[in-house]
Coordinates of all heavy atoms in Angstrom, one line a residue:
L13 N -29.4 -20.9 -15.6 CA -28.6 -20.4 -14.6 C -27.7 -19.2 -15.1 O -27.6 -18.2 -14.5 CB -27.7 -21.4 -13.9 CG -28.5 -22.4 -13.1 CD1 -27.6 -23.5 -12.5 CD2 -29.2 -21.6 -11.8
V14 N -27.0 -19.5 -16.2 CA -26.2 -18.5 -16.8 C -27.0 -17.3 -17.2 O -26.6 -16.1 -17.0 CB -25.4 -19.0 -18.0 CG1 -24.6 -17.9 -18.8 CG2 -24.4 -20.1 -17.5
G15 N -28.1 -17.4 -17.8 CA -29.0 -16.3 -18.2 C -29.4 -15.6 -16.9 O -29.5 -14.2 -17.0
G16 N -29.7 -16.2 -15.9 CA -30.1 -15.5 -14.7 C -29.0 -14.7 -14.1 O -29.2 -13.5 -13.7
V17 N -27.7 -15.2 -14.1 CA -26.6 -14.6 -13.6 C -26.3 -13.3 -14.4 O -26.0 -12.2 -13.9 CB -25.4 -15.4 -13.6 CG1 -24.1 -14.6 -13.3 CG2 -25.6 -16.5 -12.5
V18 N -26.4 -13.5 -15.7 CA -26.2 -12.3 -16.7 C -27.3 -11.3 -16.5 O -26.9 -10.1 -16.5 CB -26.2 -12.8 -18.1 CG1 -26.2 -11.7 -19.1 CG2 -24.9 -13.7 -18.4
S19 N -28.5 -11.6 -16.3 CA -29.5 -10.6 -16.1 C -29.3 -9.9 -14.8 O -29.5 -8.7 -14.7 CB -30.9 -11.3 -16.2 OG -31.1 -12.1 -15.1
V20 N -28.9 -10.6 -13.8 CA -28.7 -9.9 -12.4 C -27.4 -9.0 -12.6 O -27.5 -7.8 -12.1 CB -28.4 -10.9 -11.4 CG1 -27.8 -10.3 -10.1 CG2 -29.7 -11.7 -11.0
A21 N -26.4 -9.4 -13.4 CA -25.3 -8.5 -13.5 C -25.6 -7.2 -14.3 O -25.3 -6.2 -14.0 CB -24.2 -9.3 -14.2
V22 N -26.4 -7.4 -15.4 CA -26.9 -6.3 -16.2 C -27.8 -5.4 -15.3 O -27.6 -4.1 -15.4 CB -27.6 -6.8 -17.5 CG1 -28.3 -5.7 -18.2 CG2 -26.7 -7.5 -18.4
A23 N -28.7 -5.9 -14.5 CA -29.5 -5.1 -13.7 C -28.6 -4.3 -12.6 O -28.9 -3.2 -12.4 CB -30.5 -5.9 -13.0
W24 N -27.6 -5.0 -12.1 CA -26.8 -4.3 -11.2 C -26.0 -3.2 -11.8 O -25.9 -2.1 -11.2 CB -25.9 -5.3 -10.5 CG -25.0 -4.8 -9.5 CD1 -25.4 -4.4 -8.2 CD2 -23.6 -4.4 -9.6 NE1 -24.3 -3.9 -7.5 CE2 -23.2 -3.9 -8.3 CE3 -22.7 -4.6 -10.6 CZ2 -21.9 -3.5 -8.1 CZ3 -21.4 -4.1 -10.3 CH2 -21.0 -3.6 -9.1
I25 N -25.5 -3.4 -13.0 CA -24.7 -2.4 -13.6 C -25.6 -1.2 -14.1 O -25.2 -0.1 -14.0 CB -24.0 -3.0 -14.9 CG1 -22.8 -3.9 -14.5 CG2 -23.5 -1.9 -15.8 CD1 -22.3 -4.7 -15.5
S26 N -26.9 -1.5 -14.4 CA -27.7 -0.5 -14.9 C -28.5 0.2 -13.9 O -29.3 1.1 -14.2 CB -28.7 -1.1 -15.9 OG -28.0 -1.7 -17.0
R27 N -28.3 0.0 -12.6 CA -29.1 0.5 -11.6 C -28.8 2.1 -11.5 O -27.7 2.5 -11.8 CB -28.7 -0.1 -10.1 CG -27.4 0.3 -9.7 CD -27.0 -0.5 -8.4 NE -25.8 0.1 -7.8 CZ -24.6 -0.1 -8.2 NH1 -24.4 -0.8 -9.3 NH2 -23.6 0.4 -7.6
P28 N -29.8 2.8 -11.0 CA -29.6 4.2 -10.9 C -28.6 4.5 -9.7 O -28.7 3.9 -8.7 CB -31.0 4.8 -10.6 CG -31.8 3.6 -10.3 CD -31.2 2.4 -10.7
R29 N -27.8 5.5 -9.9 CA -26.8 5.9 -9.0 C -27.1 7.3 -8.4 O -27.6 8.1 -9.2 CB -25.4 5.8 -9.6 CG -25.0 4.4 -9.9 CD -23.6 4.3 -10.6 NE -23.2 3.1 -10.9 CZ -23.5 2.4 -12.0 NH1 -24.4 3.0 -12.9 NH2 -23.1 1.2 -12.3
A30 N -26.6 7.5 -7.2 CA -26.8 8.8 -6.7 C -25.8 9.8 -7.3 O -24.7 9.4 -7.8 CB -26.5 8.8 -5.1
R31 N -26.2 11.0 -7.4 CA -25.3 12.0 -8.1 C -24.3 12.3 -7.1 O -24.4 12.4 -5.9 CB -26.1 13.3 -8.5 CG -27.0 13.1 -9.6 CD -27.6 14.4 -9.9 NE -27.8 14.5 -11.4 CZ -28.2 15.5 -12.0 NH1 -28.6 16.6 -11.3 NH2 -28.5 15.5 -13.3
K32 N -23.1 12.7 -7.7 CA -22.0 13.2 -6.9 C -22.3 14.7 -6.5 O -23.0 15.3 -7.2 CB -20.7 13.1 -7.7 CG -20.3 11.7 -8.0 CD -19.0 11.7 -8.8 CE -18.6 10.3 -9.2 NZ -17.4 10.3 -10.1
P33 N -21.7 15.1 -5.4 CA -22.0 16.5 -5.0 C -21.7 17.5 -6.1 O -22.4 18.5 -6.3 CB -21.1 16.7 -3.8 CG -20.9 15.4 -3.2 CD -21.0 14.5 -4.5
D34 N -20.6 17.4 -6.9 CA -20.3 18.2 -8.0 C -21.4 18.3 -9.0 O -21.7 19.4 -9.5 CB -18.9 17.8 -8.7 CG -17.8 17.9 -7.7 OD1 -17.9 18.6 -6.7 OD2 -16.8 17.3 -8.0
E35 N -22.0 17.1 -9.4 CA -23.0 17.1 -10.4 C -24.2 17.8 -9.8 O -25.0 18.5 -10.6 CB -23.3 15.6 -10.7 CG -22.1 14.9 -11.5 CD -22.4 13.5 -11.7 OE1 -23.5 13.0 -11.1 OE2 -21.6 12.9 -12.4
E36 N -24.5 17.7 -8.6 CA -25.7 18.4 -8.1 C -25.5 19.9 -8.1 O -26.5 20.6 -8.4 CB -25.9 18.0 -6.6 CG -26.5 16.6 -6.5 CD -26.5 16.0 -5.1 OE1 -26.3 16.8 -4.2 OE2 -26.9 14.8 -4.9
V37 N -24.4 20.4 -7.8 CA -24.2 21.8 -7.8 C -24.3 22.3 -9.2 O -24.9 23.4 -9.5 CB -22.7 22.2 -7.3 CG1 -22.4 23.6 -7.5 CG2 -22.7 21.8 -5.7
E38 N -23.7 21.6 -10.2 CA -23.8 22.0 -11.5 C -25.3 22.0 -12.1 O -25.6 22.9 -12.8 CB -22.9 21.1 -12.5 CG -21.5 21.4 -12.2 CD -20.6 20.4 -13.0 OE1 -21.1 19.6 -13.7 OE2 -19.4 20.5 -12.9
A39 N -26.0 21.1 -11.6 CA -27.4 21.0 -12.0 C -28.2 22.1 -11.4 O -29.2 22.5 -12.1 CB -27.9 19.6 -11.6
T40 N -27.9 22.6 -10.3 CA -28.7 23.6 -9.6 C -28.3 25.0 -10.1 O -29.1 26.0 -9.9 CB -28.6 23.5 -8.1 OG1 -27.2 23.7 -7.7 CG2 -29.2 22.3 -7.6
E41 N -27.1 25.1 -10.7 CA -26.7 26.5 -11.2 C -27.6 26.9 -12.4 O -27.9 26.0 -13.2 CB -25.2 26.4 -11.6 CG -24.3 26.3 -10.5 CD -22.8 26.3 -10.9 OE1 -22.6 26.2 -12.2 OE2 -21.9 26.3 -10.2
P42 N -27.9 28.1 -12.5 CA -28.7 28.5 -13.7 C -27.9 28.4 -14.9 O -26.7 28.6 -15.0 CB -29.1 30.0 -13.3 CG -28.0 30.4 -12.4 CD -27.6 29.2 -11.6
R43 N -28.6 28.1 -16.0 CA -27.9 28.1 -17.2 C -27.4 29.5 -17.6 O -28.1 30.5 -17.4 CB -28.8 27.5 -18.3 CG -29.2 26.0 -18.0 CD -29.7 25.3 -19.2 NE -28.7 25.3 -20.2 CZ -28.0 24.2 -20.6 NH1 -28.0 23.1 -19.9 NH2 -27.2 24.2 -21.7
Q44 N -26.2 29.5 -18.2 CA -25.6 30.7 -18.5 C -25.9 31.1 -19.9 O -25.8 30.2 -20.8 CB -24.2 30.8 -18.1 CG -24.0 30.5 -16.6 CD -22.6 30.4 -16.2 OE1 -21.7 30.0 -17.1 NE2 -22.3 30.6 -15.0
D45 N -26.1 32.4 -20.1 CA -26.4 33.0 -21.5 C -25.1 33.1 -22.2 O -24.3 33.9 -21.9 CB -27.2 34.2 -21.4 CG -27.5 34.8 -22.7 OD1 -27.5 34.0 -23.7 OD2 -27.8 36.0 -22.8
L46 N -24.9 32.3 -23.2 CA -23.6 32.4 -24.0 C -24.0 33.1 -25.4 O -23.2 32.9 -26.3 CB -23.0 31.1 -24.2 CG -22.5 30.4 -22.9 CD1 -22.0 29.0 -23.2 CD2 -21.5 31.3 -22.2
T47 N -25.2 33.6 -25.5 CA -25.5 34.3 -26.8 C -25.3 35.7 -26.9 O -25.4 36.4 -27.9 CB -27.0 34.0 -27.1 OG1 -27.8 34.6 -26.0 CG2 -27.4 32.5 -27.2
T48 N -25.0 36.3 -25.7 CA -24.6 37.7 -25.7 C -23.2 37.9 -25.2 O -22.6 37.0 -24.5 CB -25.5 38.5 -24.7 OG1 -25.3 38.0 -23.4 CG2 -27.0 38.3 -25.1
I49 N -22.6 39.1 -25.6 CA -21.2 39.4 -25.1 C -21.2 39.5 -23.6 O -20.2 39.0 -23.0 CB -20.8 40.7 -25.7 CG1 -20.6 40.4 -27.2 CG2 -19.4 41.2 -25.2 CD1 -20.2 41.7 -28.1
A50 N -22.2 40.0 -23.0 CA -22.2 40.1 -21.5 C -22.3 38.8 -20.8 O -21.6 38.5 -19.8 CB -23.4 41.0 -21.0
G51 N -23.1 37.9 -21.4 CA -23.1 36.5 -20.8 C -21.8 35.8 -21.0 O -21.4 35.1 -20.1
I52 N -21.2 35.9 -22.1 CA -19.9 35.3 -22.4 C -18.8 35.8 -21.4 O -18.0 35.1 -20.8 CB -19.4 35.4 -23.8 CG1 -20.4 34.6 -24.8 CG2 -18.0 35.0 -24.0 CD1 -20.2 34.9 -26.2
A53 N -18.9 37.2 -21.3 CA -17.9 37.8 -20.3 C -18.1 37.4 -18.9 O -17.2 37.2 -18.2 CB -18.1 39.3 -20.4

Side-chain angles (χ1 to χ4, degrees):
L13 288 174
V14 169
V17 168
V18 168
S19 66
V20 168
V22 168
W24 183 75
I25 290 170
S26 303
R27 75 187 185 285
R29 292 177 181 83
R31 285 186 150 179
K32 294 178 182 174
D34 295 341
E35 293 172 354
E36 291 174 3
V37 170
E38 292 174 359
T40 59
E41 289 179 355
R43 293 200 60 105
Q44 299 175 338
D45 181 21
L46 297 177
T47 60
T48 64
I49 293 175
I52 294 171

